[in-house]
Amino acid sequence: MTNFPVLSAIVFVPLLGAVGALILPRLAGWGWALLASLVDLALALLLIPRLGTGTTHMLALNEHMPWLPDAGISYTLSADGINLFLICLNALLTVVAVGASFGVARSGDRPRQYLMLMLLLSFGMQGVFLATNLFLFYVFWEVMLVPAYLLVGMFGGPQRGIAAIKFVLYTTAGSLLMLVAIIATGIEVSSTHHTAFTLDLAALLNAGVPGNVQTVLFLGFAAAFAVKAGLFPLHGWVADTYSETPVAVLVLIAGVMAKTGVYGFVRFCLPLFPQGVHSLAPIMETLAVASIIYFALEALVALDFMRLLAYVSISHLGVIVLGIFALNTQGIEGAIVQMINHGIIIAALFLIAGAIEARTGTRRLADFGALATKLPWLATVFMIAALSALGLPGLNSFAGEFLAFLGTFQSSIVFGVLGTLVVIPAAWYMLRFFQGAMEGVTPEGGAVASARVADLRVGEWLPLLPLLALIIFLGIVPNTLTAPMQQPVGEIVSSYAPATPSAFEAPGANGHVHVYHPIQVQTIQTQTIQTRHIYVLQMTNALASGEREQARVGA
Amino acid sequence: MQVSAYLIVSALLFTIGAVGVLVRRNPLVMFMSIELMLNAVNLSFMAFAHFLNSVDGWMFVFLVLTVAAAEVVVGLAIIVSIFRSRHEIDVDDLTMLKG
Amino acid sequence: MVNLTPFILLLPLVGFAVLGLVGRVLPRAAISLIGCGVVLAAFVLAVIDFFSMLGVAPEARFSDVLPWTWVTSGSVTIPFGLLSDPLSAVMLLIVTGVGFLIHVYSIGYMEGDPGYWRFFSFLNLFIFAMALLVAADNFLMLLVGWGGVGLASFLLIGFWYTRPSAVAAARKAFVVNVIGDFGLLLAIFLIVKDFGTLQYIPLIVHPASAGTALPSLPLPFPDATAIALLLFVAAAAKSAQLPLHVWLPDAMEGPTPVSALIHAATMVTAGVYLVARASAIFTASPTALAIVGIIGGATAFMAATIACVQTDIKRVLAYSTMSQLGYMFMGEAAGGFSGGIFHLTTHAYFKALLFMAAGAVIHALGGEQDMRKMGGLRGRLPQTFWLFVIGGLTLAAVFPLSGFWSKDGLLSAVLEKAQTGGGTGWYVLYAVGLFTAILTGFYIFRLIFGIFFGRYRGGAIAAHGAAPAKRGGTRDPLANVHEVGAAMMVPMVVLGILSVIGGFYGTPWSDWIGQFLEPVTHTTNTGIAPGNGLFWLAFVLGLVTGPIGIAIAWARYAQREPRFGASRNPLVILLQHKYYIDELYDAVIVVPIVSLGVFWRIGLEGGFFEGGSLGLGHLVGGISRGLRRLQTGYARNYALAILVGAALLLVYYVIHP
Amino acid sequence: MIFAATSPFTYTPSLTDWLRIVPELILLAAALLTLLADLVGSPGRKGWLAIIGLAGAICALVATQMLWVGGSIGEAFYGMVNDDYVSLFANIVILFALGIALLFSPGYIERQGITHEGEYYTLLILAALGMMVMSAASNLMVIFVGLEILSLALYILSAIVTTRRRSQEAGMKYFILSSFASAFLLYGMALTYGATGSTNLTAIRTFLSSHGTFPLGSGFGPLLLVALGLMAVGFCFKVSAVPFQAWTPDVYVGAPTSITAFMSVGTKVAAFVGLVRVFFFALPSLSVEWQPVFWVIAVLTMIGGNLMAASQRDVKRMLAYSSVANAGYMLIAVATHTQAALQGLFIYLATYAVMNLGAFGVVLAIERRDGQGTTLDDFAGLGRRHPALAALMALFMFALAGTPATAGFIGKWYVFYAAMTGGHTELAIIGVLASLIGVYYYLRVVWAIYFTEPATAPLLVLAEEPTPEREPAATTTAGGGVALAEPATAAQPTTSTKVLPADRHTTHPATWLGLALAGVLTIALGIVPMLMVEWALAAAQTLFK
Amino acid sequence: MAAGVIAFFVLATVSVASALGVVLFRNPVYSMLSLILNLLSLAFFFLMLEAIFVAAIQVLIYAGAVMVLFLFVVTMLTPSGGGISGPDRLRWQWGAGIGLGIILAGGLIIALLNGSIAEGAKAAGMNGLAQAVDHFGNTEAFGQALFHGFSFPFELTGVLLVVAVLGAVVMSRRFARE
């Protein structure tokens, strides 16, 4: 089993599914697509025991194959605690999205293309999450865009064409700059160290990017990532795209694709350009805070609930960016946790919004009221998702936001406070949406008053259930997510923190340099870190470490 | 004679030909202007060949002559063809394709 | 000692889950059984915990259960831990005990509501969250419970979700509470920053406990004031203290049992609990304590003044709750942490009682809450009347009811603080406290007289389920008004008894509760000792203030036709409008934020971003069309372009070398 | 004999010389065979002429392969042609383009009613021959003659639809402007000859490298520099660089689409190979002088081409401007002047060839009888009418837009990579920004295909009215899609029952084959480009010493 | 020598004047004749440059055969007024053309005056034309080179002529099918 190229399988199973979905007729194609996405999910989940132990290094599990060696291009996939759950998320949301597309498959327009593109999108995103050769990453990055463009444009609302082209132009503008930065990174590394041109992340990390160019290179990468994450002021595409896209597609676009941007920051920018990131972190944090607050306010006054959710989504992505650029363990871990949580929640919210729109035919908030009397289960599900979205402690989003804000606060009190402030408008706009739709009085004569009264059907329940389960489960035990990323995140943070040994810091942060071996297909294990059972008496150390922590933060 | 003298005559002829293409709208005259340019170049070739003691120039002139003849054939055929279909040969009338 | 806390939490959670998922199809009896049963079981467990705790030495009354690690991130480890210590034991008793009584009461009160199962489900959720809040062993789990009770409160205020006023009230409550959460979050961040942990054990254990095995808080520590004030932001939001009090009166839109349980007995006291829990942090910052005291005093006074003019009976009680909570904070600010908790317990009894009794009245009158339309119900509802009076007397701190002891303890602590060098400000606070006590007696008996005395002023009351009585009929309008059933009456009686006797475990002479809480709260101020010269003065002042207020109320309202109507007195108008604070917030916060949002939507989002990208598109399109006009179609123009290019190249090469 | 064996007066070609031009000879034979075979058979049924041409192209391709793998390569005919990896690489691309164009032709000729089929095929093959000669040339005069062969053939092919004014106009404009530009090229050659004493590229190179101080130190500088500039004009005209691009859209639109497809690719290959042979191989010591010029031209071309394409609604014309824009990207490689850049240029040429041929192929497949019907409106709803054509067009559009995993990206990658290693990051940045505009107009085609419905209502309704029994006939369509009328036919509703069946054309099987080939290669070169990269490297190493 | 110089200047004047005539004559027939004059003057230049054979074919083929064809077409297409009617829509091109012409000519002349034949190239005697002429005779030298070293381009011209012939056929022959 160790020789089985599981990472490649994870990437290419959706492609297989796409091919089948294109060939097979309606429901057979749907079944095939669902099967493929389930297999993909199973494969992704199988990785958890291998990488979820908390002791695997960054880029621990690798698959490597030369591609265009002269140009430093290789087919290299890597998995570790950072992308582990993002892969799972993508696989899960693909299942959800395919599952939610049953109606299209049964009686919708162009079902084969629809399912094919959806799986193609999933394929691209798995690739983005797994690729660690910069070229390969870029390939997948753009491959992901094609089905997204077609899905929005072919199956979207009345303004779909404009929305799709806007989406593509925004994202391409960013990614083309990233392309330049990718090449420049390879060139700078090879010319500084007089080595062969390579774009393997591991090799680049081992060599190190020269400090003087890091800022510029970072900006190149950041352009692509920030656009994808809808960071203020590069968000122009988001609201239009989200409000035009069919919800099952949005599950993938908002749920997963938006994460690729923030993932890119963690995977590439932070380890590769520590100096650049360090010098520009305040700007990124400022933008993140601006995103958070600005989009929260926009969500507060949105008239249409799809746009509202779009703003909600990017406002929360701002939190993730904020956490990442806190550049400490809590911030980054919180950001990654939040990537997962955000994916789950936003997918659930969009599914719910879609269910509401399907029943009422409108998305104007003013048209709504008292739907809960007709749709109690929908209201319940909506409530849970909304509560999670507004960061209710005890549900999944809280854990990630908490860590992200905590990290931010430790690196900068001002940004921490400003970022945390979002919890107030978050509660406001989510309740405005929830209560506006579900509670109060139905406006007379509106579309809602005469809406169909059927509550959630089985076909709508099934995609939502796993999401709800995760919303609750990950709220109770967020450690499931953070444990595997301790080591890799520690290694990232080690380039930012002074090498102070600390009993509570991950070993990678001890100034110990880890050498990444992308070539061997193996999982690198170090000595087991002592398990962290916390007992009351052990807490006696806490204060001492707290002081160190303070010193570290102050420095 | 200096080679420059021939070259300057050649340059003048070439320029006149080039300007001729620009200012005349009769394709035949434009065509003649192009011939003029080719011949100007031929003069340069011959001068260089002479002063360089190199046969390449001669050969080149010979080729240019052939090419010019071939171009004349094709060009005149196209012009005649156009004349046949529209009984006008003003180049400025050929503006269906633009923008 | 045993630590059954996990089960205390688990039981109501199970109840919530079961009722929430399948409650719709369960029969009413099963719903009542499950809903009340789990809380009763939890109460029993809490009692067992409590007594087993009594069995061990005070220093050993700490037991931490850590089922799993909630999250570990870098140097921060946060377990899902449950701490059983004297403070949490007391709180759990109150939460489950009073909670159980209110569950039972609800069986009667909510009878016939279509959302019966939902109601009990939410109540169980509340009990779970509140239990988690008080049993958490670290600030983060406290925050989880904190958010949970906020949610339950939101759900229950908005229980009748088709009433726009209830929906708005629920949202307001939630959003204001989130402001508190924000404060708590920031406090947590600061605590992590300073200490690297969120566990109570190293934080709250005071130097006084030196000699035990537990570590102690270093004094002074950085950011003490900031942490304390941020914690107090949370406490103020939850406990409806100035300036975050605006949600509580509106929260009375919820069913009355909710008001009794959440907005009187338990949830709103979470702030008091939090301050007591973090007493070590507050003690480290005199500044923060002073601010807490000022806010507490101001709230106590202001809420009492508003309560004097309200006509909605539940709102009167709501303002009363705010006022009483203000007392508790005042006392805690003076260092009387255990006194605060003591008052919390007695307040739970009598305020729950008052709300229940008010609920009984409302229930009897078919939902009427305006006391201008009441009066003369004494005859119809005698048991309710007497229970109401007991509650009122306790609230007015009439000797020797429980309220007297606990309120006296708080005021006494304030006086002690003033005397031992707290500064003149504390004397002012003490005076405010005394004056508020008079107001307290006044407004609660204004309420009682308004409801039960004088002539009935309202319309005819329909029988439950019957059509409204015909107008102009000769029948007694109160013919259908009956005393409530046993399910509602029994809990009231129990609480009535508790209100009467509940104060004897905290008298100045034998402050049992203070000693019990000592290992946790490290109360520095237990009030003026009986030996002190001022003791008797204070005691007497405490004795008379309540009755003075009652007497004034008697004078004004114990008549056949009391005037509750409009007044031209500007002070009264100011009070009737609650100092215009809601309006102020609307004008200063809500409207600007929403306007900014709208302005951005139109100006930035629609104008700059949308217009910008479209403009860029048009620009490119325009340039494109402009350039294409160069493509004239004239071959001679094209030749010209070639020649221009050639000439430029030539000129470049000729002049360049 | 006073002359050595290498003297022009005594040099005698040997068998080796002939062997080195076998691909060209095969093609010539094929051309002549087509001409002869044209005498047989009746007009209108001459698709098999294409088969002869195709056979010739394949044989030439095989010969090229054999030369590459094991043949003796090198200069031939007194250094007139150079049978090296560069010319072999160019041969592959040109022959591929020829093959695809031949596949496209039968169906297109049939539909457009082009009469001179025999001449059409012969000229097409001879144009390819001219391109091959030009790219194999190692002497200025062979470059010139090769250029003239391909140009003359293309003038005629552009104008070959003698009944159509646009075609005539295209031929005329192309003829005048191309001759005009050729004159500049020729003048540049003459001056080069004068300044260096030879027309042989190797000799020029040797001469320039052996005169170390030349050119700027002595008085010969201006002569050679002016020569440089004039030759740049000639080549830039052929590759459609701004400001010499003006002919491109008009000629591409006016010419028959199969010819446009071929010339957009073949001319670029030949012209670029000629260009790099002159500038990279013969004049590398002057690179300081010509690099800035090409820098400016590259920037102008990228920006100008993309901008002008942005607002086009006619897809054929848009592709013409896109051809200009792509020339700009290729000129980045020229301006960079490194071996990697040369490799990038070759890769770009090859990748551009496959996807551009494909794109024109789809345009050709949907073009109407009157040579119109290639606007975005005509593409509207193509995804429903002709799913396969639509998918292919989308593929080519994405490829042209530079989407990874297609050939288009590989080309762009290597060019930008080379630009940056060569120190021209600014060109790469301008390039990517310009290609952003490209993304817009390429994807607008995809938009039309998939995101919009046909501009007019189905013509079935119109057809139904006069003769209801025709309806079944009208609903069946060979494309397999839903039968919807072309928008323009709706303009003549009265005769629609006649027009409808006539204008619903099927796509010829050979066209399908060509499109499939282009499609497969577009993806294959994007995913497994190793062989092409290797060949391009070999070619680059040959030329860039 | 002086005779050579005088002849050169006469020929230069004639050629430039006739070139101007090509451009400036309104009637294309005059332009045509002017072109022939120009070609002839060039042939004399070639003679001066000792290229006898080239001069001969210049007169025979170019000024003769080709121009006759030209003349034929010109006269055919310009029955009256040159087949051009209507006002010139691009009159401004006269200004632009003349301006650019001056720049072009100026630039070329400056460049040409600054440079002359490379001494090195001259010294290399590249491929010894003069010796060949001495050895074979003028025309024979031309032939030797054409059939030996330059046989390939020479053969290519065959292809070129095939193309031209095909072009003429395509453009002028019409099928009934149209």
Side-chain angles (χ1 to χ4, degrees), chain C residues 42-314:
Chain C
F43 176 64
V44 171
L45 295 180
V47 170
I48 295 171
D49 252 8
F50 176 72
F51 282 105
S52 83
M53 186 177 287
L54 289 180
V56 296
E59 301 81 19
R61 285 171 181 166
F62 293 88
S63 163
D64 207 353
V65 183
L66 302 155
W68 66 81
T69 302
W70 187 71
V71 80
T72 301
S73 179
S75 60
V76 181
T77 295
I78 301 165
F80 184 92
L82 299 172
L83 178 68
S84 180
D85 70 354
L87 182 56
S88 65
V90 169
M91 291 302 293
L92 279 176
L93 279 178
I94 296 291
V95 170
T96 54
V98 177
F100 169 67
L101 291 174
I102 295 172
H103 272 70
V104 175
Y105 176 85
S106 306
I107 295 175
Y109 191 86
M110 297 304 288
E111 187 183 25
D113 192 285
Y116 192 73
W117 59 279
R118 206 156 50 86
F119 187 77
F120 276 93
S121 168
F122 291 167
L123 278 188
N124 277 353
L125 172 65
F126 171 75
I127 298 291
F128 160 74
M130 190 72 201
L132 176 61
L133 192 161
V134 298
D137 82 334
N138 62 63
F139 282 104
L140 198 97
M141 287 307 125
L142 172 111
L143 178 56
V144 173
W146 195 266
V149 293
L151 166 64
S153 160
F154 165 78
L155 291 172
L156 286 164
I157 295 171
F159 182 75
W160 288 310
Y161 58 83
T162 49
R163 289 186 193 168
S165 59
V167 171
R171 184 188 310 171
K172 192 173 181 182
F174 198 91
V175 172
V176 174
N177 270 300
V178 165
I179 297 174
D181 294 358
F182 171 66
L184 190 49
L185 265 174
L186 292 186
I188 286 173
F189 296 157
L190 270 177
I191 292 169
V192 172
K193 180 171 174 283
D194 286 357
F195 306 109
T197 180
L198 286 168
Q199 300 291 103
Y200 295 153
I201 297 288
L203 294 177
I204 63 173
V205 180
H206 201 263
S209 69
T212 66
L214 299 166
S216 57
L217 188 73
L219 277 174
F221 62 91
D223 308 326
T225 305
I227 295 174
L229 286 178
L230 287 168
L231 286 176
F232 184 65
V233 169
K238 200 55 99 186
S239 297
Q241 297 298 294
L242 281 176
L244 300 174
H245 64 287
V246 288
W247 64 275
L248 186 60
D250 290 359
M252 296 302 127
E253 289 290 340
T256 305
V258 172
S259 311
L261 176 61
I262 299 184
H263 305 123
T266 51
M267 186 191 85
V268 289
T269 62
V272 178
Y273 164 80
L274 178 62
V275 175
R277 183 51 93 186
S279 59
I281 294 170
F282 279 91
T283 311
S285 168
T287 320
L289 277 182
I291 291 171
V292 172
I294 290 166
I295 299 228
T299 311
F301 172 75
M302 202 197 73
T305 53
I306 298 173
C308 292
V309 299
Q310 292 296 311
T311 54
D312 183 311
I313 60 175
K314 283 179 73 179

Side-chain angles (χ1 to χ4, degrees), chain D residues 44 82 113 157 178-179 206 219 296 299 338 351 379 411 439 519:
Chain D
N82 197 344
L157 287 169
S178 181
S179 309
T206 317
V296 172
V299 170
T338 58
T351 56
F379 275 88
V439 169

Side-chain angles (χ1 to χ4, degrees), chain E:
Chain E
M1 195 63 207
V5 173
I6 291 163
F8 175 83
F9 278 107
V10 170
L11 281 175
T13 314
V14 170
S15 61
V16 171
S18 60
L20 285 172
V22 171
V23 176
L24 295 176
F25 278 123
R26 273 180 181 277
N27 190 329
V29 179
Y30 295 163
S31 294
M32 178 74 252
L33 295 172
S34 195
L35 180 60
I36 293 173
L37 182 59
N38 182 269
L39 294 177
L40 288 175
S41 68
L42 285 182
F44 282 105
F45 271 128
F46 294 172
L47 278 179
M48 284 179 72
L49 292 166
E50 298 169 32
I52 297 161
F53 182 70
V54 181
I57 55 173
Q58 173 86 0
V59 174
L60 283 176
I61 298 177
Y62 218 143
V66 172
M67 286 303 127
V68 168
L69 175 64
F70 228 119
L71 193 60
F72 177 70
V73 174
V74 170
T75 47
M76 182 179 92
L77 298 190
T78 49
S80 61
I84 306 286
S85 56
D88 189 351
R89 276 160 286 182
L90 299 174
R91 282 199 80 81
W92 56 272
Q93 285 232 153
W94 280 94
I98 290 166
L100 281 172
I102 290 168
I103 293 173
L104 191 69
L108 284 171
I109 289 169
I110 290 171
L112 295 172
L113 284 177
N114 280 336
S116 61
I117 300 294
E119 283 309 314
K122 208 171 176 180
M126 296 314 273
N127 38 34
L129 174 63
Q131 292 89 325
V133 170
D134 287 347
H135 186 264
F136 299 112
N138 195 303
T139 307
E140 291 83 346
F142 187 95
Q144 285 288 343
L146 194 62
F147 291 112
H148 285 97
F150 295 89
S151 57
F152 183 73
F154 177 55
E155 281 153 14
L156 274 182
T157 54
V159 178
L160 192 69
L161 291 174
V162 170
V163 172
V165 170
L166 284 174
V169 169
V170 168
M171 287 296 118
S172 44
R173 190 171 64 140
R174 293 205 165 178
F175 282 107
R177 204 180 124 191
E178 291 168 19

Side-chain angles (χ1 to χ4, degrees), chain D residues 429-451:
Chain D
I429 290 173
I430 296 169
V432 297
L433 292 180
S435 58
L436 186 62
I437 305 172
V439 169
Y440 168 71
Y441 59 77
Y442 292 128
L443 294 198
R444 215 157 65 124
V445 178
V446 178
W447 180 353
I449 290 175
Y450 283 117
F451 307 170

Side-chain angles (χ1 to χ4, degrees), chain C residues 342-381:
Chain C
F342 178 36
H343 193 60
L344 187 159
T345 62
T346 59
H347 178 255
Y349 308 146
F350 65 72
K351 190 52 66 62
L353 171 62
L354 282 170
F355 265 112
M356 285 175 164
V361 172
I362 294 164
H363 193 74
L365 295 181
E368 183 55 62
Q369 297 194 10
D370 191 342
M371 67 175 164
R372 284 173 297 189
K373 296 178 182 163
M374 297 180 183
L377 294 177
R378 193 174 24 163
R380 283 280 169 190
L381 305 169

